[in-house]
Amino acid sequence: MDNYGQPIACVYSSETSTWSGLISTEASHNKCSHIGPSTLVGNVLYWSLHNRGDNILEFDLDTQNLTVIDEPPGAYNYDKLQIIRAADGTVGVAILHHNNLQMWQRKVNCQGVCIWLLQKTVSLHKLLKIPPRGNKRIKWQDKFLGYEEDNDVIFLYRYESVYMVQLKSMQFRKFNGTRSREYRECCYPFTG
């Protein structure tokens, strides 16, 4: 982000040890106040822009084109949206919507227009095998903590616990001893 909140990018070449010129785009809403971790889908990087009227920043590494795309309908809060790789290798998003996990995929329709299609909705109570807490006030909100692209795994915080969910199989693992506030912010998972 530049000083005015507009998205900018610069590419470093390890082969030539040089930086490209600045690549910029206009944000369609107000200034961008924060940019989240990136997700690589194919040869394109995606970031969730945290601003009013949240959008997704897209950077094509081949063409070095930087654009802002709209999020799916209902994507209202950046920590309730995680950019993922969809089943067919295109960009997708996972959204925490009430007590459900929604999986969306970006497709091109017959008129050549990119649209978001809802692929799947899964109850978090059924998925994570935890009973609903009724109308009890929950101290902390559900949120995504991160995404690991190689294994298609999301990490989410729910009811003061951290869960790892493999998106293809919808198998989960609960991490014990994670009730501390530090585990509720963000993680940068990777494989090595």
Side-chain angles (χ1 to χ4, degrees), residues 18-80:
T18 59
W19 288 92
S20 73
L22 290 179
I23 304 160
S24 65
T25 188
E26 291 289 319
S28 59
H29 294 286
N30 293 334
K31 292 181 191 178
C32 300
S33 59
H34 180 72
I35 191 167
S38 68
T39 300
L40 180 65
V41 179
N43 215 19
V44 180
L45 283 168
Y46 294 91
W47 294 268
S48 182
L49 296 175
H50 305 171
N51 60 353
R52 192 173 351 163
D54 289 338
N55 291 296
I56 295 172
L57 184 62
E58 175 185 72
F59 183 70
D60 188 310
L61 294 166
D62 291 331
T63 64
Q64 295 196 4
N65 189 31
L66 187 66
T67 55
V68 176
I69 60 175
D70 289 330
E71 292 178 343
Y76 57 92
N77 193 336
Y78 70 86
D79 59 357
K80 302 223 184 258

Side-chain angles (χ1 to χ4, degrees), residues 78 139 147:
Y78 70 86
K139 189 174 181 180
Y147 175 65

Side-chain angles (χ1 to χ4, degrees), residues 40-184:
L40 180 65
V41 179
N43 215 19
V44 180
L45 283 168
Y46 294 91
W47 294 268
S48 182
L49 296 175
H50 305 171
N51 60 353
R52 192 173 351 163
D54 289 338
N55 291 296
I56 295 172
L57 184 62
E58 175 185 72
F59 183 70
D60 188 310
L61 294 166
D62 291 331
T63 64
Q64 295 196 4
N65 189 31
L66 187 66
T67 55
V68 176
I69 60 175
D70 289 330
E71 292 178 343
Y76 57 92
N77 193 336
Y78 70 86
D79 59 357
K80 302 223 184 258
L81 177 138
Q82 178 64 56
I83 301 168
I84 61 171
R85 184 176 43 241
D88 68 352
T90 60
V91 68
V93 295
I95 296 175
L96 293 171
H97 185 67
H98 299 293
N99 289 313
N100 295 314
L101 173 64
Q102 295 180 341
M103 310 292 284
W104 292 79
Q105 184 174 11
R106 193 165 187 245
K107 293 269 194 180
V108 178
N109 68 13
C110 58
Q111 287 93 22
V113 177
C114 290
I115 58 170
W116 288 100
L117 297 173
L118 180 62
Q119 299 296 306
K120 181 185 339 185
T121 300
V122 178
S123 164
L124 288 173
H125 298 301
K126 290 179 184 174
L127 172 67
L128 302 177
K129 313 266 190 281
I130 51 177
R133 297 221 175 157
N135 289 331
K136 276 179 135 178
R137 184 169 177 90
I138 300 170
K139 189 174 181 180
W140 294 299
Q141 296 272 334
D142 300 340
K143 68 185 282 185
F144 287 108
L145 298 176
Y147 175 65
E148 197 276 305
E149 298 143 338
D150 293 335
N151 295 302
D152 203 24
V153 172
I154 58 169
F155 293 84
L156 61 96
Y157 183 83
R158 181 164 177 82
Y159 295 156
E160 300 181 25
S161 296
V162 175
Y163 295 87
M164 178 178 73
V165 179
Q166 206 291 325
L167 294 176
K168 285 187 180 109
S169 66
M170 285 296 164
Q171 298 296 311
F172 77 93
R173 178 178 168 202
K174 179 180 178 182
F175 292 97
N176 294 322
T178 56
R179 292 180 179 242
S180 171
R181 290 182 63 88
E182 290 82 36
Y183 291 101
R184 295 185 305 109

